[in-house]
Amino acid sequence: MIWNETKECMSRDEMLNLQSARLKKLVDYVYHNVEFYRKKMQKLGMLPSDIKGIEDITKLPFTTKDDLRDNYPFGLFAVPNSEIVRIHASSGTTGKATVVGYTRRDLDVWSECVARCMTMAGVSKNDVIQVAYGYGLFTGGLGAHGGAEKIGATVVPMSTGNSKKLTTMMVDFGATAIACTPSYLLYISEVLEQEGLLDKIKLKSAICGAEPWTEKMREELETRLHITAHDIYGLSEIMGPGVACDCKFHKGLHVCEDHFYPEVLDTATLTPVEDGVLGELAFTTLTKEGIPLIRYRTKDLTSITHEKCECGRTSARISRFKGRVDDMLIIRGVNVFPSQIEAALCEVKEVTPHYMMIVDRVNNLDTLEIQVELVSEYYTDEIRGIEAMTKKIGHVINQAIGLSAKIKIVEPQTLVRSEGKAVHVIDKRKLY
Ligand code: DLL
């Protein structure tokens, strides 16, 4: 069953007409309600009436995370605080938090979008779903919660922080679905195994996102837990989880494009690229009231297709994320994404997919050390065994990234497990 057939299966022309009408309304709305956008448009000599349809979107200026920070906390809100019923914020690693506000209608749209995504992942009112994203200022917990409740599923608001309780309740409550980061699900699968609970669970599907993960990791999680795992995407500035999700065919993530207009941009020229070409994703929120954003640059790297999916949905699909523009490491002149390491390690049965990359600079030369963890049954402290394994993993990594790396094998269960967004890189060069 499709959650919102009218919106997810409309013809391309119908969708473009809807997006055009909504964009015109949005531009008029921000011009009259957000000083930041009025000033930007005035600087460009533009009036709302210059936007005649969605094809004019490229005339509009971009918005960046810095714009949100510079207008901290509420400077980009389009409504008075009396209309705002919820605030979320993301701290990021540096600088001020970016703060977003939702009107009651924004929350309704959000829960509908998450409900669409969870429906794609096979969740229905008959499911018991554990929401194990963090609850709080992070949008993951409350966002997933609202969508699951809208479907009518039985929601267990676990949040993060107590994996043993989570696994016990997974068995006791007969949980059939879980929403959490992929790295946390990997950890949960280990805890289930350690507790001897793997054959006692009823889990069928997982709705994983909030961080980049690979197809290989999806297969790994599906095999470990005998489930289907779905990729849900979103960001707090645009709404939170539920901007896009993949259906059972796993051929890209369906965007809720009646609410969020996607553009994929050439990273150098910032002009839209053709379908299928990798670039930076930008979104325009077509219906948001609290903090509407125009051409928000996500820094996430993906490509887009407008072809109809095998599932029947006609919505635009974005490909699994390669990472973020700012996640890309340049090591000895070679571009490396952490996701390449994850995919490579999933190919080696003797190691777990947990890893840590340590990048440094010695005598003006970049160095890369990758710490990997052996699966317990393959662990040996015999030097020759370790040497052979190091060589094997080094070869696989070299094939994947075109660079040689120092492989450091660590004992089972020693790399830090993550319950939220995993950290995979320590770049010491940034400290110099
Ligand atoms: O991570 C919202 C979210 C919560 C999405 C739960 C999915 C599930 P932020 O904390 O603002 O919001 O971080 C947004 O996380 O720009 C991406 O870089 C990354 N991200 C989110 N989902 C995915 C995904 C939430 N499925 C940032 N694949 C985004 C890759 C993702 N990266």
Side-chain angles (χ1 to χ4, degrees):
M1 197 206 77
I2 289 172
W3 178 259
N4 191 336
E5 202 159 344
T6 46
K7 297 289 160 43
E8 294 181 85
C9 300
M10 37 169 69
S11 75
R12 192 105 296 273
D13 280 349
E14 282 171 332
M15 179 58 78
L16 289 172
N17 286 341
L18 180 71
Q19 289 170 331
S20 289
R22 288 185 168 174
L23 179 69
K24 284 195 278 184
K25 216 166 141 190
L26 168 78
V27 172
D28 195 65
Y29 179 66
V30 296
Y31 189 87
H32 290 104
N33 294 287
V34 187
E35 194 189 5
F36 167 82
Y37 281 120
R38 185 167 50 251
K39 281 194 174 152
K40 270 203 166 194
M41 286 174 65
Q42 282 169 345
K43 222 170 159 184
L44 293 167
M46 279 181 79
L47 284 171
S49 55
D50 292 330
I51 301 299
K52 311 259 187 274
I54 201 76
E55 64 284 359
D56 288 331
I57 195 159
T58 52
K59 294 181 181 161
L60 291 163
F62 291 112
T63 311
T64 64
K65 201 175 191 80
D66 281 343
D67 292 327
L68 271 91
R69 289 207 174 111
D70 294 346
N71 290 282
Y72 174 88
F74 306 142
L76 295 189
F77 285 16
V79 294
N81 276 4
S82 55
E83 297 301 312
I84 295 288
V85 295
R86 170 102 64 82
I87 296 275
H88 280 285
S90 79
S91 50
T93 40
T94 50
K96 274 188 189 148
T98 46
V99 182
V100 286
Y102 303 74
T103 64
R104 193 165 295 284
R105 207 189 75 172
D106 290 337
L107 289 186
D108 286 344
V109 171
W110 189 8
S111 56
E112 155 142 0
C113 291
V114 175
R116 287 187 202 176
C117 293
M118 289 194 172
T119 304
M120 284 183 226
V123 177
S124 75
K125 70 188 288 291
N126 300 323
D127 282 292
V128 176
I129 178 166
Q130 289 183 303
V131 175
Y133 289 115
Y135 280 63
L137 286 174
F138 177 51
T139 52
L142 284 165
H145 187 112
E149 256 186 16
K150 186 143 197 161
I151 290 178
T154 308
V155 189
V156 189
M158 295 302 312
S159 196
T160 53
N162 196 334
S163 309
K164 287 214 171 127
K165 194 188 237 173
L166 184 148
T167 49
T168 306
M169 288 185 172
M170 188 181 274
V171 175
D172 294 349
F173 299 178
T176 47
I178 187 163
C180 62
T181 61
S183 50
Y184 191 29
L185 191 59
L186 181 66
Y187 178 37
I188 290 169
S189 73
E190 292 176 340
V191 178
L192 284 165
E193 195 178 355
Q194 284 154 15
E195 306 281 309
L197 296 177
L198 264 179
D199 57 355
K200 298 196 172 58
I201 58 171
K202 297 210 174 106
L203 211 58
K204 287 184 315 196
S205 71
I207 299 95
C208 294
E211 62 185 6
W213 56 309
T214 57
E215 268 301 297
K216 292 277 170 216
M217 178 67 106
R218 178 168 74 80
E219 286 162 20
E220 173 91 27
L221 292 170
E222 291 189 342
T223 313
R224 279 173 180 243
L225 291 162
H226 306 290
I227 56 165
T228 54
H230 293 260
D231 191 6
I232 188 168
Y233 169 78
L235 60 167
S236 56
E237 294 85 341
I238 295 304
M239 178 176 76
V243 173
C245 188
D246 65 350
C247 65
K248 65 179 180 186
F249 292 96
H250 303 295
K251 295 212 172 121
L253 289 75
H254 292 271
V255 180
C256 294
E257 58 167 334
D258 48 327
H259 295 293
F260 312 107
Y261 182 76
E263 291 175 88
V264 178
L265 309 166
D266 182 294
T267 49
T269 62
L270 298 186
T271 50
V273 295
E274 298 281 304
D275 278 17
V277 177
L278 194 74
E280 179 183 344
L281 183 63
F283 276 111
T284 299
T285 62
L286 295 174
T287 54
K288 232 163 116 185
E289 294 177 337
I291 174 167
L293 294 180
I294 288 182
R295 307 191 81 200
Y296 181 73
R297 289 181 53 190
T298 66
K299 297 208 167 170
D300 294 318
L301 290 169
T302 186
S303 61
I304 196 163
T305 174
H306 291 88
E307 273 173 28
K308 185 175 171 179
C309 179
E310 285 168 62
C311 71
R313 290 179 181 83
T314 52
S315 42
R317 276 171 293 149
I318 46 180
S319 60
R320 183 180 281 284
F321 288 88
K322 183 152 189 193
R324 292 175 56 79
V325 179
D326 41 17
D327 273 351
M328 190 184 79
L329 294 156
I330 304 180
I331 304 172
R332 292 186 295 241
V334 178
N335 298 348
V336 180
F337 284 97
S339 57
Q340 291 173 284
I341 307 293
E342 178 183 294
L345 292 179
C346 285
E347 298 283 359
V348 186
K349 68 174 187 315
E350 295 90 344
V351 295
T352 68
H354 299 285
Y355 66 96
M356 181 60 88
M357 299 169 71
I358 297 157
V359 190
D360 204 347
R361 184 165 290 146
V362 180
N363 297 333
N364 275 331
L365 195 68
D366 295 334
T367 59
L368 169 63
E369 174 181 302
I370 304 176
Q371 300 183 347
V372 296
E373 196 183 272
L374 285 185
V375 173
S376 308
E377 59 184 290
Y378 293 105
Y379 188 71
T380 166
D381 49 12
E382 195 216 325
I383 298 283
R384 273 220 312 241
I386 294 278
E387 272 176 5
M389 201 66 79
T390 306
K391 208 167 154 197
K392 176 174 174 180
I393 298 163
H395 180 71
V396 175
I397 297 286
N398 185 276
Q399 293 286 308
I401 60 174
L403 264 183
S404 59
K406 179 179 168 208
I407 306 297
K408 185 170 175 198
I409 291 182
V410 301
E411 289 187 26
Q413 305 297 328
T414 45
L415 290 177
V416 177
R417 281 6 180 198
S418 139
E419 296 186 339
K421 295 175 191 261
V423 177
H424 288 299
V425 181
I426 300 173
D427 193 345
K428 294 186 174 168
R429 299 174 301 182
K430 290 188 178 154
L431 305 173
Y432 306 142

